[in-house]
Amino acid sequence: MSQADHERCPGARHDGGVTAPAEELIVLVDDEGRAIGSMPKRMVHHGETPLHRAFSAYLFDEQGRLLVTRRAEGKATFPGMWTNTVCGHPGPGEDDVSAIARRARDELGLDVADLRPAVPGYRYRAVFRGVVENEICPVYLGRFSGRPVPDPTEVGDWALLDWAAFRRRQDAEGDAWSPWCREQARLIEEQGLAG
């Protein structure tokens, strides 16, 4: 990596010929969703989490079953809860579709296709054990192929469910599911996009 390349990659380290990846950054936004800066991911979530960009994706297999995941117990926010397929944060200059593809690959070893917005204006704030999520979080639907190979630091478990079974589980299990997933599922149904 040249000195010029190093300067274009804020946070990257060059050490003895081995380059470590730059620290993951999250995009901070104002109430209208305009970017106003960035912050390292490790510093964002706490009791007064600033509003930031995110996404949620619901991915279906070839039989039309939804892949749901349980967040790893070591996650900083909402550990151990069941949720949608993948959620995360676009980095500076990264569009949602690219960010979803990146996170699906990193967390589940999956390639995605046919991503399309379902609830583009979704925004929420939720608190669990004193840690706040505060996100402008467009919701996407898409497809995946293959079998998940989860990263255990991100995903504790997974299941394939048809939409009706997914909603029955949410109703039966309540707070075992992330609050954004429960609300997003209802909004997806209201858009006529479920099933």
Side-chain angles (χ1 to χ4, degrees):
M1 177 185 246
S2 71
Q3 181 63 31
D5 288 335
H6 183 74
E7 290 168 359
R8 283 194 292 270
C9 298
R13 297 188 305 271
H14 189 69
D15 189 27
V18 177
T19 303
E23 185 167 26
E24 185 175 355
L25 298 177
I26 287 178
V27 178
L28 307 180
V29 295
D30 64 16
D31 278 336
E32 282 71 48
R34 295 181 296 241
I36 57 172
S38 63
M39 182 180 289
K41 180 179 178 180
R42 62 181 170 78
M43 297 173 60
V44 168
H45 299 100
H46 45 71
E48 297 181 10
T49 300
L51 185 63
H52 57 278
R53 283 185 63 204
F55 63 80
S56 288
Y58 292 71
L59 304 177
F60 298 82
D61 70 4
E62 293 172 354
Q63 288 76 47
R65 297 174 298 179
L66 172 64
L67 173 60
V68 295
T69 58
R70 187 172 58 79
R71 296 167 66 81
E73 292 292 345
K75 297 280 284 181
T77 59
F78 296 81
M81 286 192 184
W82 284 92
T83 194
N84 50 287
T85 313
V86 65
C87 43
H89 310 90
E94 185 178 35
D95 63 75
D96 290 345
V97 169
S98 298
I100 292 166
R102 172 176 56 84
R103 292 307 300 173
R105 193 169 46 251
D106 292 350
E107 291 185 17
L108 295 160
L110 296 175
D111 291 324
V112 301
D114 299 333
L115 287 169
R116 59 199 186 280
V119 191
Y122 184 71
R123 175 178 173 173
Y124 77 101
R125 185 178 187 279
V127 184
F128 183 67
R129 297 180 184 166
V131 178
V132 176
E133 281 284 16
N134 187 21
E135 299 181 337
I136 291 180
C137 183
V139 179
Y140 290 80
L141 305 179
R143 292 187 305 105
F144 75 93
S145 57
R147 182 175 176 82
V149 182
D151 173 352
T153 67
E154 296 286 345
V155 177
D157 200 359
W158 58 274
L160 287 168
L161 304 170
D162 64 40
W163 188 266
F166 161 60
R167 295 294 275 141
R168 284 195 301 272
R169 275 193 57 179
Q170 284 191 325
D171 289 343
E173 298 169 4
D175 289 344
W177 290 79
S178 72
W180 62 87
C181 184
R182 285 178 280 150
E183 185 173 48
Q184 290 168 355
R186 177 180 56 79
L187 293 171
I188 290 168
E189 288 177 343
E190 288 177 1
Q191 297 288 328
L193 300 173

